[in-house]
């Protein structure tokens, strides 16, 4: 077992232990049992170490803290807010946009973000397990309009180096594919996942490799993340970042400006700022459109254009993300 896998085994999976570590009194929280039953708590110790002790409103904690508000079900919020079901081409493979296909590599994540748009995804039936590889590869082989494969999930870096390497080995012979994109939160919440074995495999990959980090707040940018990003860049990987706009977490212009600047400092280009996908259980994170527009204008006024992430919304059935 590699070091990062051992670290995963040490993750917080019960709320009392996390609150004790953070020196917080559970008596101050509303009953969270129903929310935890629906979507279990999982937080790496590395991510918890970035939180402010004794602060129940810490923006990193709020991203992972179960809340009784998750049980509210206002109209307009859905279990499949981005149309994953209708985009399924074959079990384990989604295709929403021209030229790209998304491979559901795993249902596992290092932390459970409470706003996750796939918190209700039927992973038991929708993951690209080994038995589904032949059908997925045949679909990719036939569709020569594809130039990019996206490894997603879950988090594709939850796969071991050998398993991830086998996927790359299977994809590389498909000569019409040019790019491999991975979407991952692990470099942020478990930087030791960027192993030498992973770096070596990405370095010798014939694809142009793009890694899209998921970083929402400048406090998530640790020295360990900076070191991991430097190693990835040295391996030839292009680094982008996408964030989700979250009430109580990063819905201040100062926070988003600092996030873009710190990302660029460690060699990561801000890419997308997603408006919240309307997933059941996450309505308390949402912002009114006018507030989002005010933030966008503040970023345009305060940052050079290359540091302004594109504010977008994902709408099921649309031909692309929709600029906001």
């Amino acid at each position: 077992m590699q070091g990062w896998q051992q670290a995963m085994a040490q993750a917080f999976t019960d709320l009392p232990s996390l609150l004790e570590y953070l020196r917080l009194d559970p008596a101050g929280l509303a009953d969270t049992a129903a929310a935890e039953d629906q979507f279990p708590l999982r937080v790496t110790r590395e991510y918890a170490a970035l939180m402010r002790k004794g602060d129940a409103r810490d923006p990193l904690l709020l991203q992972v803290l179960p809340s009784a508000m998750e049980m509210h079900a206002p109209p307009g919020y859905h279990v499949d807010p981005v149309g994953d079901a209708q985009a399924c081409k074959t079990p384990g493979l989604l295709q929403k946009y021209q030229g790209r296909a998304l491979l559901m590599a795993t249902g596992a994540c290092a932390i459970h973000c409470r706003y996750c748009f796939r918190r209700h995804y039927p992973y038991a039936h929708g993951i690209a397990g080994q038995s589904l590889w032949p059908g997925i590869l045949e679909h990719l082989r036939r569709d020569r309009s594809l130039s990019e494969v996206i490894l997603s999930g879950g988090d594709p870096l939850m796969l071991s180096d050998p398993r991830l390497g086998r996927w790359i080995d299977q994809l590389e012979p498909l000569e019409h594919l040019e790019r491999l994109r991975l979407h991952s939160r692990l470099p942020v919440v478990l930087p030791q996942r960027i192993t030498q074995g992973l770096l070596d495999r990405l370095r010798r990959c014939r694809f142009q490799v793009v890694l899209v980090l998921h970083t929402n707040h400048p406090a998530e940018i640790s020295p360990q993340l900076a070191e991991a990003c430097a190693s990835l860049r040295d391996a030839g990987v292009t680094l982008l970042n996408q964030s989700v706009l979250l009430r109580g977490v990063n819905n201040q212009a100062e926070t988003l400006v600092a996030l873009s600047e710190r990302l660029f400092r460690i060699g990561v280009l801000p890419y997308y700022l997603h408006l919240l996908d309307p997933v059941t259980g996450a309505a308390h994170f949402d912002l009114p459109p006018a507030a989002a527009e005010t933030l966008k204008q503040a970023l345009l006024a305060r940052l050079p254009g290359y540091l302004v992430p594109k504010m977008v919304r994902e709408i099921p059935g649309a031909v692309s993300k929709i600029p906001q």
Side-chain angles (χ1 to χ4, degrees):
M1 181 180 291
Q2 293 190 335
W4 70 271
Q5 292 167 315
Q6 292 174 333
M8 275 302 310
Q10 304 292 319
F12 292 105
T13 56
D14 67 277
L15 188 55
S17 296
L18 176 63
L19 295 179
E20 181 182 6
Y21 171 80
L22 293 173
R23 301 197 290 271
L24 289 170
D25 184 358
L29 299 175
D31 183 19
T32 64
E36 288 184 80
D37 287 343
Q38 184 185 87
F39 190 38
L41 175 117
R42 175 173 289 278
V43 187
T44 63
R45 290 180 179 268
E46 289 75 7
Y47 190 63
L50 302 176
M51 300 175 187
R52 295 192 295 261
K53 304 293 190 299
D55 184 358
R57 303 304 299 171
D58 177 79
L60 278 58
L61 173 62
L62 293 179
Q63 295 180 60
V64 298
L65 184 67
S67 168
M69 291 185 288
E70 295 174 40
M71 306 315 296
H72 298 166
Y77 291 80
H78 316 282
V79 296
D80 182 12
V82 297
D84 280 342
Q86 72 188 53
C88 183
K89 293 299 183 182
T90 190
L93 190 73
L94 310 181
Q95 188 173 358
K96 297 180 181 180
Y97 307 128
Q98 180 68 31
R100 288 97 77 196
L102 186 147
L103 199 154
M104 297 292 290
T106 176
C109 283
I111 69 170
H112 287 172
C113 302
R114 310 311 296 184
Y115 54 87
C116 178
F117 70 96
R118 289 200 176 115
R119 56 181 290 168
H120 305 287
Y121 186 84
Y123 286 113
H125 309 289
I127 292 303
Q130 193 165 351
S131 65
L132 299 176
W133 287 13
I136 290 170
L137 291 167
E138 180 58 27
H139 181 90
L140 296 174
R141 186 177 295 112
R142 287 199 316 266
D143 189 350
R144 300 188 66 84
S145 71
L146 297 172
S147 58
E148 181 174 65
V149 169
I150 304 162
L151 299 188
S152 186
D155 193 310
L157 291 187
M158 287 293 287
L159 298 178
S160 66
D161 291 346
R163 286 188 64 193
L164 190 59
R166 285 195 292 274
W167 261 121
I168 297 174
D169 292 344
Q170 297 273 0
L171 294 169
E172 282 184 318
L174 306 182
E175 58 186 26
H176 55 287
L177 298 180
E178 299 177 8
R179 295 180 301 279
L180 177 70
R181 191 191 333 163
L182 301 97
H183 284 243
S184 181
R185 192 129 159 85
L186 260 80
V188 178
V189 305
L190 195 68
Q192 58 264 52
R193 174 61 189 96
I194 308 305
T195 63
Q196 191 59 51
L198 174 64
L199 293 167
D200 290 344
R201 186 62 187 90
L202 295 179
R203 182 178 286 108
R204 68 175 187 270
C205 182
R206 78 156 181 87
F207 298 122
Q208 290 181 295
V209 180
V210 178
L211 176 60
V212 182
L213 301 175
H214 178 179
T215 315
N216 291 324
H217 193 278
E220 295 178 345
I221 301 176
S222 65
Q224 294 79 15
L225 173 60
E227 183 178 343
C229 288
S231 297
L232 286 161
R233 292 199 317 276
D234 287 346
V237 178
T238 297
L239 298 176
L240 306 176
N241 184 73
Q242 62 179 19
S243 308
V244 181
L245 186 57
L246 301 166
R247 180 194 298 271
V249 174
N250 58 9
N251 60 314
Q252 294 181 335
E254 293 77 11
T255 300
L256 293 172
V257 167
L259 176 60
S260 282
E261 290 180 335
R262 292 188 194 178
L263 284 167
F264 193 65
R265 202 173 297 151
I266 66 168
V268 181
L269 193 66
Y271 170 44
Y272 275 152
L273 177 59
H274 284 269
L275 299 187
L276 183 79
D277 294 316
V279 62
T280 302
H284 57 291
F285 286 113
D286 213 352
L287 287 172
E293 175 63 22
T294 297
L295 284 169
K296 183 179 79 170
Q297 294 304 320
L299 296 185
L300 288 168
R302 294 178 57 177
L303 288 168
Y306 59 89
L307 291 187
V308 179
K310 290 184 287 186
M311 184 176 286
V312 296
R313 184 183 296 280
E314 184 166 353
I315 297 177
V319 297
S320 70
K321 303 288 195 301
I322 305 302
Q324 300 296 298

